Amino acid sequence: MSINPYSVTAEAPLQKGYFGEHSRRKEGAFLYRVVEIRHPIEAEFVYSGWWFRQTIDIAGERVWRQISWIGLKKQAEFRLPESLDANRRQGRIEIDFSRGLRIRRFRIWIGEELVYDEVA
């Protein structure tokens, strides 16, 4: 596994914004994000953490869910729907929460590619 010399380290100060050449935030609220992804797949990505339940939907298909009575998961791994990717590549999200369960950072990975990075 090679290390990207241009990747941001955890020690770097976070600048607010939405980062990703091939994606954009369409909607966002408390524990909710809708992201349009244009590469490496074309789909709408929806994350919801409402009512003790976390879900991820891609192109209208549920790819991950978790009941979160004790605490919200900060990472989730899923497989892309076969309708979008014949190889069903692995995807994942990483979420950093601040006080009051506000999303501080929200990242979407497809394979080893970071496709969306939001710093609130």
Side-chain angles (χ1 to χ4, degrees):
M1 181 170 153
S2 63
I3 296 174
N4 181 349
Y6 302 105
S7 67
V8 177
T9 67
E11 291 80 31
L14 297 177
Q15 294 181 344
K16 291 184 178 187
Y18 313 106
F19 307 97
E21 291 181 40
H22 304 289
S23 60
R24 71 176 182 91
R25 177 175 146 168
K26 290 178 67 176
E27 192 176 335
F30 181 73
L31 297 178
Y32 184 75
R33 292 295 185 272
V34 178
V35 177
E36 176 187 13
I37 300 173
R38 294 180 303 274
H39 178 77
I41 61 171
E42 289 189 25
E44 184 174 83
F45 179 100
V46 179
Y47 166 81
S48 178
W50 288 95
W51 301 107
F52 306 106
R53 187 180 60 183
Q54 290 178 279
T55 60
I56 296 172
D57 295 337
I58 300 176
E61 292 187 45
R62 176 93 8 113
V63 295
W64 182 82
R65 69 177 176 267
Q66 175 75 39
I67 301 297
S68 304
W69 293 108
I70 308 264
L72 294 171
K73 297 285 184 189
K74 295 179 181 182
Q75 294 186 356
E77 293 186 355
F78 54 88
R79 291 270 176 206
L80 293 175
E82 190 172 5
S83 60
L84 290 176
D85 183 34
N87 295 325
R88 300 207 61 216
R89 281 178 283 180
Q90 184 82 24
R92 76 179 187 274
I93 62 167
E94 297 173 354
I95 307 171
D96 294 333
F97 296 100
S98 63
R99 289 186 177 167
L101 289 179
R102 295 219 177 264
I103 293 175
R104 183 174 162 263
R105 188 168 193 184
F106 186 84
R107 298 192 287 178
I108 303 171
W109 300 80
I110 303 235
E112 294 300 316
E113 183 178 351
L114 178 62
V115 296
Y116 181 76
D117 189 358
E118 172 187 341
V119 179

